[in-house]
Amino acid sequence: MASGWPGGDDYGALLRDAAERAVGYLGGIDERPVRVSPEDIARLSVLETPLPEHPAAPATILAELDRLGSPATTATTGSRFFGYVIGGTLPATVAATWLAAAWDQEGGIATLCPVNATLEEVCRRWLLELLGLPPQSGAAFVTGATMANFSALAAARHAILAKAGWDVEADGLFGAPPVSVIIGAEAHISLIKALGLLGFGRQRVVRVPTDRQGRMRADALPKIDGPTLVCLQAGNVNGGAFDPAGEICQAAHEAGAWVHVDGAFGLWAAAAPERAYLMAGFAAADSWATDAHKWLNVPYDSGIAFVRDAGALTGAMAAVAPYLHATAMREPDQFTPEISRRARGVEVWAALRSLGRDGLADLIERNCRQAARFAEGLTAAGYEILNEVALNQVVVSFGTAEETRRIIAAIQAEGTCWCGSTVWQGRTAMRISVSSWATTDEDVERSLETMVRVAREELG
Ligand SMILES: *Cc1c(COP(=O)(O)O)cnc(C)c1O
């Protein structure tokens, strides 16, 4: 290692040690149980020490973290994790993130980090093309879909109130013309949280009834009158269903409303030719939120907001200070709630560059086919699939609520794979989400076999 490094030769050795340990972790990921063991959780108590009085050697710290921390993780980056809607990490994105961590860049300021400004702009363009959204839309690279929803809805608030003659950034919400907010009865909690943060109120929203798949019922849409925000969903967090966007967008736009789409994972259907039909009508909306750390398989934390009228996004987010100098480049901090932040464009770019259009389409399509295979195998074994499996989500009941809960716990404890529980439309169920590049068809067969065997054992 070249001398003159901050920290000297030891720094290089330390980074190589970290790389070795990471390689060891990833190399064993598919041999270990997917769940965390109670013993490994208990061992974390070793970390509960008094505040250290003196410095410690980085190599010692790393060894301690690896010894205690690595086992106390769920193998979400392995190939048989199907809980929540999570996704793994593409190799190129992990490697790119390590390099970017070494750069230690303030990704929000183009003058300091021109590479992030460039990559965000490239990704904005690529993503809008892949997802079939209007090419001039603005984009905010944030921590996840919660903040993507927040950012897009802040843009909506800006534009809706500007149209009503009110400057919300300057004058706040007190005394502003009221804005009606319409959401589906099965809107994701993060959307409701974002509405609360923006002063729209978590409870003052109007909830439109949904059908048996959790889709907003277009025929139940209330009459829209005055400043209004309508929030659609592309990809129900349980069953993966899409709201009828065509009909609702048209009705909303005729009444002058803003339409926002929460598409944390569902938006990616647009990138796979055989699934793109699910996204029909959504491109007519005004803003969209999605995650990169779910189906695009980049490391945490990464989500993106797109806003058709880029000026509404910068109108909500722009901040000026005498020490922030505009350049000819994209200024990443003018689009997001944060000023200082990671260079998030790096791993999004690495993912898209490594997959290409074909690779992304293949990832989405393969995961959807694998979900269908889970549904087929579980149906054949006599269990009830509660959702129409059109995307990557499967919701399955093994019998009564108590039986289903017991079987989910037994499947988790067995360790071959991991799925979580949910209650959907009054039914307790297991939710399978297939969203990792690493999942092979063999992983699906092995997991399916395990689920059926464990369920039969539990039901006696
Ligand atoms: C996961 C999810 C979110 C929240 O995303 P975070 O990345 O956890 O902030 C929002 N909406 C839907 C439909 C989701 O699946």
Side-chain angles (χ1 to χ4, degrees):
M1 187 52 56
S3 58
W5 268 43
D9 292 356
D10 287 354
Y11 198 172
L14 182 69
L15 293 185
R16 283 199 201 89
D17 186 18
E20 276 305 311
R21 290 177 186 279
V23 169
Y25 177 85
L26 293 172
I29 200 87
D30 284 335
E31 269 78 65
R32 52 160 282 192
V34 179
R35 58 155 171 80
V36 194
S37 76
E39 297 75 35
D40 289 326
I41 296 170
R43 215 166 288 125
L44 290 174
S45 64
V46 176
L47 294 169
E48 286 163 17
T49 64
L51 171 70
E53 294 295 337
H54 306 294
T60 312
I61 297 168
L62 194 66
E64 187 174 307
L65 186 64
D66 193 21
R67 182 167 50 83
L68 297 167
S70 294
T73 56
T74 304
T76 51
T77 197
S79 58
R80 291 185 304 278
F81 181 84
F82 307 111
Y84 303 89
V85 187
I86 290 262
T89 41
L90 290 160
T93 67
V94 177
T97 303
W98 284 356
L99 183 60
W103 295 343
D104 184 33
Q105 293 289 282
E106 206 287 56
I109 299 178
T111 312
L112 297 179
C113 192
V115 58
N116 187 52
T118 302
L119 292 179
E120 280 194 7
E121 178 52 27
V122 169
C123 289
R124 183 195 68 82
R125 197 161 47 73
W126 287 358
L127 286 164
L128 291 167
E129 186 176 333
L130 281 167
L131 300 174
L133 302 179
Q136 81 290 349
S137 304
F141 292 78
V142 292
T143 50
T146 304
M147 283 313 287
N149 277 322
F150 174 86
S151 303
L153 294 172
R157 189 179 68 165
H158 171 92
I160 292 168
L161 285 171
K163 206 162 90 178
W166 188 267
D167 180 345
V168 69
E169 282 74 33
D171 299 323
L173 275 180
F174 302 106
V179 178
S180 305
V181 180
I182 298 171
I183 68 173
E186 292 203 18
H188 193 270
I189 47 157
S190 75
L191 181 93
I192 296 162
K193 177 172 170 172
L195 289 167
L197 289 169
L198 287 161
F200 286 120
R202 292 188 185 203
Q203 300 213 12
R204 72 178 272 286
V205 298
V206 178
R207 286 172 173 262
V208 179
T210 45
D211 68 11
R212 291 189 50 113
Q213 293 301 318
R215 287 180 289 244
M216 203 192 279
R217 275 177 39 210
D219 65 331
L221 193 71
K223 185 169 157 35
I224 297 171
D225 193 18
T228 303
L229 167 62
V230 180
C231 300
L232 298 180
Q233 186 163 253
N236 179 289
V237 77
N238 285 301
F242 291 67
D243 287 340
E247 247 175 290
I248 295 178
C249 276
Q250 194 184 345
H253 282 156
E254 275 167 13
W258 177 291
V259 181
H260 169 71
V261 178
D262 175 6
F265 59 98
L267 223 55
W268 299 96
E274 289 168 70
R275 307 288 154 174
Y277 74 93
L278 294 165
M279 277 290 293
F282 282 95
D286 301 286
S287 59
W288 306 263
T290 196
D291 261 317
H293 57 219
K294 287 180 180 169
W295 224 346
L296 189 58
N297 280 245
V298 311
Y300 291 96
D301 35 23
S302 189
I304 311 148
F306 302 103
V307 180
R308 177 187 292 276
D309 171 7
L313 181 59
T314 49
M317 298 298 174
V320 287
Y323 48 82
L324 293 174
H325 304 287
T327 63
M329 303 185 91
R330 169 189 174 86
E331 290 296 334
D333 69 0
Q334 300 297 301
F335 296 86
T336 56
E338 308 93 337
I339 294 179
S340 300
R341 60 183 171 87
R342 292 195 309 118
R344 255 184 215 104
V346 169
E347 61 260 19
V348 176
W349 172 82
L352 296 173
R353 180 84 174 79
S354 88
L355 290 169
R357 194 194 297 270
D358 288 355
L360 179 60
D362 180 61
L363 165 64
I364 304 301
E365 185 55 35
R366 179 159 29 97
N367 285 167
C368 292
R369 265 194 289 108
Q370 290 168 332
R373 172 63 193 134
F374 269 120
E376 177 191 61
L378 290 165
T379 304
Y383 305 117
E384 187 189 356
I385 304 300
L386 305 184
N387 66 321
E388 283 168 16
V389 181
L391 197 67
N392 64 329
Q393 303 289 112
V394 182
V395 187
V396 56
S397 160
F398 292 103
T400 65
E402 194 276 323
E403 285 165 340
T404 299
R405 275 195 296 270
R406 211 171 70 222
I407 289 167
I408 296 168
I411 289 170
Q412 291 176 355
E414 195 272 349
T416 298
C417 59
W418 201 100
C419 301
S421 67
T422 189
V423 177
W424 189 46
Q425 306 215 332
R427 301 282 304 272
T428 296
M430 183 172 87
R431 189 166 59 140
I432 305 171
S433 174
V434 193
S435 22
S436 174
W437 71 279
T439 300
T440 63
D441 292 349
E442 196 195 331
D443 287 311
V444 173
E445 294 308 321
R446 194 173 146 195
S447 302
L448 197 47
E449 237 167 73
T450 304
M451 289 172 191
V452 172
R453 175 174 52 77
V454 170
R456 290 200 173 134
E457 282 164 13
E458 283 300 313
L459 295 173

